[in-house]
């Protein structure tokens, strides 16, 4: 993993401890369909998003947004960067449009 | 507060790259035809200072030489040119633009008209958004065959346009002779029909085929990522989405003075969704505690009671509006019936361009504020008294306010505190393009 990342994660990987696995739950607002996915804290969150889309075929891939509390998730971030812990919940929101 | 200039609903700046904070419009010279009556008219001394300032900024202020303009795009006849440069000189007018037909080479093409070929120039200047719409009718072209009569039109986002206009007049007397200023302070004048495609030309957007995602503000951990799909929502007749709203909020908040920033908090467009969905889940009105808990982490970095204004974008029934919680910290001490006009009156404003919708929003928000107050370990013992939640009316009883209505949410709230007391307020949310969306 040579990917540029903020220093703290790099340090933890440097030997203090190996990446942990955590289970993250994605909850959407429409059908309350929780999608659980276990990833390393150093994996990119895109994996979780892709998992959600695959479990929710009626949701067009790439639409909507994922929030960890008030933080809008981007696929290239990792749980470690967001200090996510085991059992944390991600909200999926369908796109909001209006005039 | 003055920096929070939100423009008006016709503001076309969203689609442009003009995201640099403009200087305050008050400091700018007004367009010449209104200068005699405008408040913005400046004494000569101040103009000198401005001149100096522009020089420092490297702006084009040379009174002698040609005036160069770089609008986002130029509509020349029926063709759009992007990345074009326009030059007004004493003997003519030139357009330089990128040849899009060339195979990847940055070949510039120019078109030139002699000053005698320019039939007339129409200019419409909108001071409040700092942009001008300029139309040139030109005769035959000497460079590229005979095009006959051509209309060249461009929209310039440049607060210093009035100065540049004067500079053009200084180039040759003919410019001023054929110059036709369309007197209006806005773009929505009835007798001036603007081709909407000029502001949102499809072709302009079609150039975004390989549009790369824009991260705004760059480097911000909470930046908004705008994709091609989002940009396309700025075309006329489309609804704007949460990304556009969140981007615009970010854009506006960057224009607040750093020393003032602590007074405001802007929630993102899903905060309200989260609160509202709580109702749906439980099938009954949840208590403040539940409302507070479901978004507790959204506010963990701030103390909402230390803010003067909390802004909550609302999306409901395919319609955007805005809730502003004013002076939440004053709820503790505010006494109903307090008639002191200068008092900070806690209240919830719902700014909505539509009439008679959005019932029930008050409960959702008030429940949350109660929950926050009780569970945030703030001093207890006082009951929450929101003096009133105002449904904005879109009546026409206060025309003087409609002018101010373009100035911005926050300013507006300040200005209306007095009206709030009397239970009336007229608010329109000057959102990105509400006027064109419904």
């Amino acid at each position: 993993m040579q990917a540029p990342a903020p220093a703290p994660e790099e340090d933890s990987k440097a030997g203090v401890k190996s990446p942990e696995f955590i289970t993250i739950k994605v909850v959407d607002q429409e059908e309350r369909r929780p999608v659980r996915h276990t990833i390393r804290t150093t994996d990119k969150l895109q994996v979780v998003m892709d998992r959600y889309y695959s479990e929710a075929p009626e949701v067009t891939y790439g639409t909507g947004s994922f929030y960890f509390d008030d933080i809008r998730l981007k696929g290239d971030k990792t749980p470690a960067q967001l200090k996510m812990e085991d059992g944390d919940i991600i909200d999926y929101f369908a796109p909001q449009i209006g005039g | 507060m003055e920096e929070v200039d939100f423009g008006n609903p016709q503001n076309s700046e969203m689609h442009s790259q003009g995201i640099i904070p403009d200087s305050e419009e008050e400091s700018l010279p007004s367009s010449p035809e209104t200068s005699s009556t405008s408040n913005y008219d400046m004494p000569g001394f101040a103009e000198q200072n401005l001149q100096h300032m522009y020089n420092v900024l490297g702006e084009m202020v040379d009174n002698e030489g040609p005036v160069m303009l770089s609008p986002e795009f130029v509509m020349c006849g029926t063709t759009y040119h992007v990345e074009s440069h326009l030059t007004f000189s004493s003997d003519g007018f030139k357009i330089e633009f990128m040849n899009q037909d060339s195979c990847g080479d940055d070949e510039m093409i120019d078109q030139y008209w002699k000053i005698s070929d320019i039939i007339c120039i129409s200019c419409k200047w909108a001071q409040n958004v700092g942009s001008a719409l300029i139309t040139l009718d030109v005769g035959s072209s000497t460079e590229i065959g005979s095009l006959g009569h051509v209309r060249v039109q461009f929209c310039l986002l440049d607060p210093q346009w009035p100065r540049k206009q004067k500079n053009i007049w200084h180039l040759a007397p003919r410019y001023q002779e054929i110059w036709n200023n369309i007197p209006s302070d806005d773009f929505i004048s009835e007798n001036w029909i603007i081709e909407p495609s000029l502001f949102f030309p499809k072709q302009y957007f079609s150039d975004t085929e390989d549009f790369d995602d824009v991260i705004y503000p760059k480097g911000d951990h909470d930046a908004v990522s705008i994709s091609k799909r989002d940009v396309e929502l700025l075309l006329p007749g489309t609804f704007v989405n949460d990304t556009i709203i969140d981007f615009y909020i970010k854009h506006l908040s960057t224009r607040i003075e750093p020393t003032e920033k602590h007074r405001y908090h802007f929630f993102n467009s899903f905060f309200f969704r989260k609160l509202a969905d709580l109702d749906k889940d439980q099938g009954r009105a949840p208590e403040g505690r539940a409302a507070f808990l479901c978004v507790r982490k959204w506010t963990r970095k701030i103390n909402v009671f230390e803010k003067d204004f909390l802004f909550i974008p609302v999306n409901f029934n395919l319609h955007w509006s805005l809730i502003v919680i004013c002076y939440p910290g004053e709820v503790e001490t505010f006494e109903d019936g307090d008639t002191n006009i200068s008092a900070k009156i806690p209240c919830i404003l719902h700014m909505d361009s539509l009439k008679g919708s959005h019932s029930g929003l008050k409960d959702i928000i008030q429940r949350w504020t109660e929950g926050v107050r009780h569970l945030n370990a703030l001093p207890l013992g006082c009951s929450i008294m929101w003096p009133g939640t105002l449904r904005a009316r879109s009546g026409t009883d206060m025309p003087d306010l409609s002018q101010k209505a373009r100035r911005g949410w926050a300013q507006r709230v300040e200005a209306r505190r007095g009206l709030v007391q009397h239970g009336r307020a007229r608010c329109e949310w000057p959102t990105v393009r509400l006027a064109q969306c419904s």
Side-chain angles (χ1 to χ4, degrees):
Chain A
M1 292 282 286
Q2 273 82 37
E9 288 80 57
E10 293 296 315
D11 290 344
S12 65
K13 264 182 287 172
V16 183
K17 55 180 176 181
S18 56
E20 295 173 53
F21 282 92
I22 59 169
T23 299
I24 296 170
K25 187 163 79 170
V26 184
V27 173
D28 65 25
Q29 303 294 311
E30 308 308 319
E31 300 90 16
R32 291 278 142 201
R33 178 205 305 104
V35 172
R36 287 187 176 78
H37 194 79
T38 304
I39 62 167
R40 289 187 196 86
T41 51
T42 51
D43 286 345
K44 291 188 174 174
L45 283 162
Q46 188 65 48
V47 180
V48 181
M49 298 182 187
D50 291 348
R51 174 72 186 273
Y52 173 80
Y53 288 124
S54 72
E55 300 271 328
E58 69 276 21
V59 177
T60 308
Y61 183 84
T63 61
S65 44
F66 295 85
Y67 272 83
F68 175 51
D69 300 327
D70 59 334
I71 302 164
R72 194 169 191 150
L73 298 186
K74 296 176 191 70
D76 58 350
K77 292 275 191 250
T78 66
Q81 285 171 323
L82 299 172
K83 299 190 172 63
M84 293 175 91
E85 294 171 357
D86 192 45
D88 272 344
I89 294 172
I90 291 175
D91 285 304
Y92 168 81
F93 293 106
Q96 299 190 101
I97 57 166
Chain B
M1 298 289 288
E2 289 73 27
E3 278 68 33
V4 192
D5 186 351
F6 291 73
N8 70 15
Q10 283 73 40
N11 191 348
S12 60
E13 96 188 285
M14 270 302 291
H15 79 279
S16 78
Q17 299 302 309
I19 51 177
I20 305 148
D22 298 323
S23 49
E24 283 181 55
E25 58 184 311
E26 278 77 3
S27 67
L28 296 166
S30 62
S31 53
E33 78 279 4
T34 58
S35 61
S36 54
T37 54
S38 165
N39 295 332
Y40 302 129
D41 201 17
M42 312 206 72
F45 183 69
E47 282 209 357
Q48 277 177 13
N49 277 345
L50 271 179
Q51 179 89 27
H52 177 69
M53 249 167 59
Y54 295 161
N55 280 329
V56 170
L57 291 168
E59 289 293 333
M60 172 63 214
V61 290
D62 188 355
N63 282 323
E64 305 299 321
V67 175
M68 289 181 66
L69 306 170
S70 301
E72 290 278 314
F73 59 89
V74 175
M75 190 170 77
C76 191
T78 53
T79 320
Y80 292 101
H81 301 305
V82 291
E83 292 181 49
S84 47
H85 299 284
L86 312 179
T87 312
F88 286 91
S89 57
S90 55
D91 49 2
F93 169 69
K94 189 171 75 172
I95 308 179
E96 292 172 279
F97 54 89
M98 200 79 81
N99 182 9
Q100 294 180 339
D101 298 331
S102 69
C103 307
D105 296 337
D106 289 351
E107 188 194 344
M108 294 298 283
I109 292 185
D110 57 53
Q111 262 179 292
Y112 177 78
W113 291 275
K114 283 187 291 189
I115 189 164
S116 54
D117 289 337
I118 305 174
I119 299 158
C120 74
I121 301 175
S122 305
C123 171
K124 192 171 182 81
W125 166 242
Q127 167 114 14
N128 51 354
V129 291
S131 62
L133 177 75
I134 298 124
T135 309
L136 288 94
D137 287 302
V138 288
S140 59
S141 165
T142 54
E143 293 288 315
I144 306 175
S146 136
L147 293 176
H149 176 261
V150 178
R151 170 165 284 198
V152 178
Q153 209 168 24
F154 58 96
C155 189
L156 197 67
L157 276 164
D158 186 349
Q160 293 159 33
W161 167 250
R163 177 160 297 274
K164 293 183 180 177
Q165 179 178 295
K166 279 182 186 163
N167 289 346
I168 294 171
W169 292 355
H170 284 139
L171 293 170
R174 178 167 169 81
Y175 281 119
Q176 195 163 357
E177 285 162 19
I178 58 172
W179 204 278
N180 176 27
N181 268 311
I182 292 140
S184 169
D185 60 349
D186 213 327
F187 272 102
I188 52 173
S189 171
E190 296 294 329
N191 51 14
W192 177 254
I193 296 149
I194 292 173
E195 178 62 36
S197 66
L198 181 66
F199 291 93
F200 303 100
K202 281 198 169 131
Q203 192 177 336
Y204 182 57
F205 281 96
S206 72
D207 289 337
T208 62
E209 277 306 327
D210 50 351
F211 180 89
D212 291 329
D213 286 6
V214 172
I215 308 289
Y216 182 85
K218 267 209 171 77
D220 191 316
H221 76 284
D222 198 24
V224 178
S225 172
I226 305 135
S227 69
K228 174 175 173 289
R229 202 165 38 203
D230 301 318
V231 174
E232 283 168 353
L233 298 179
L234 295 173
L235 287 168
T238 53
F239 285 159
V240 290
N241 69 359
D242 43 86
T243 306
I244 299 294
I245 297 291
D246 287 339
F247 158 77
Y248 198 54
I249 290 172
K250 292 264 179 217
H251 170 49
L252 297 176
S253 58
T254 59
R255 298 169 73 169
I256 302 173
E257 280 287 303
T259 51
E260 292 281 301
K261 276 201 169 146
H262 68 278
R263 298 179 61 201
Y264 312 100
H265 183 72
F266 297 87
F267 287 97
N268 68 44
S269 59
F270 288 101
F271 178 77
F272 183 81
R273 164 98 292 123
K274 184 91 177 159
L275 279 179
D277 285 340
L278 193 69
D279 275 17
K280 202 165 64 182
D281 298 341
Q282 302 202 347
R284 61 181 172 80
E287 292 168 0
R289 180 185 170 81
F292 166 70
L293 288 176
C294 95
V295 288
R296 181 183 45 175
K297 289 184 181 170
W298 294 53
T299 54
R300 65 193 186 284
K301 289 177 201 140
I302 60 157
N303 181 348
V304 293
F305 288 99
E306 286 174 359
K307 304 288 175 187
D308 284 349
F309 300 104
L310 304 172
F311 297 90
I312 304 172
V314 172
N315 181 275
F316 196 73
N317 282 348
L318 294 176
H319 174 58
W320 289 101
S321 60
L322 178 75
I323 285 176
V324 186
I325 303 181
C326 311
Y327 304 113
E330 303 293 323
V331 169
E332 296 287 335
T333 52
F334 182 79
E335 288 178 19
D336 223 353
D338 188 348
T339 51
N340 182 2
I341 196 92
S342 65
K344 293 179 173 179
I345 299 165
C347 64
I348 302 172
L349 296 177
H350 182 208
M351 298 188 171
D352 190 350
S353 61
L354 293 182
K355 203 175 179 177
S357 63
H358 293 208
S359 56
L361 301 194
K362 174 196 167 194
D363 292 342
I364 292 168
I365 292 299
Q366 187 160 331
R367 200 180 302 132
W368 168 68
T369 55
E370 285 173 15
V372 177
R373 196 182 142 303
H374 285 294
L375 296 171
N376 232 8
L378 278 159
L380 297 172
C382 286
S383 66
I384 297 275
M385 286 188 303
W386 294 100
T389 304
L390 298 173
R391 267 285 303 134
R393 296 187 311 172
S394 47
T396 53
D397 49 343
M398 276 178 269
D400 56 320
L401 277 178
S402 69
Q403 199 70 18
K404 286 181 190 166
R406 303 195 178 112
R407 289 304 184 85
W409 310 326
Q411 268 180 313
R412 214 181 286 178
V413 172
E414 289 273 21
R416 289 196 186 148
R417 269 191 346 231
L419 294 171
V420 165
Q421 274 196 314
H422 305 296
R424 60 201 179 115
R426 176 170 180 257
C427 315
E428 300 161 59
W429 190 17
T431 186
V432 191
R433 289 169 40 250
L434 261 186
Q436 296 173 47
C437 291
S438 47

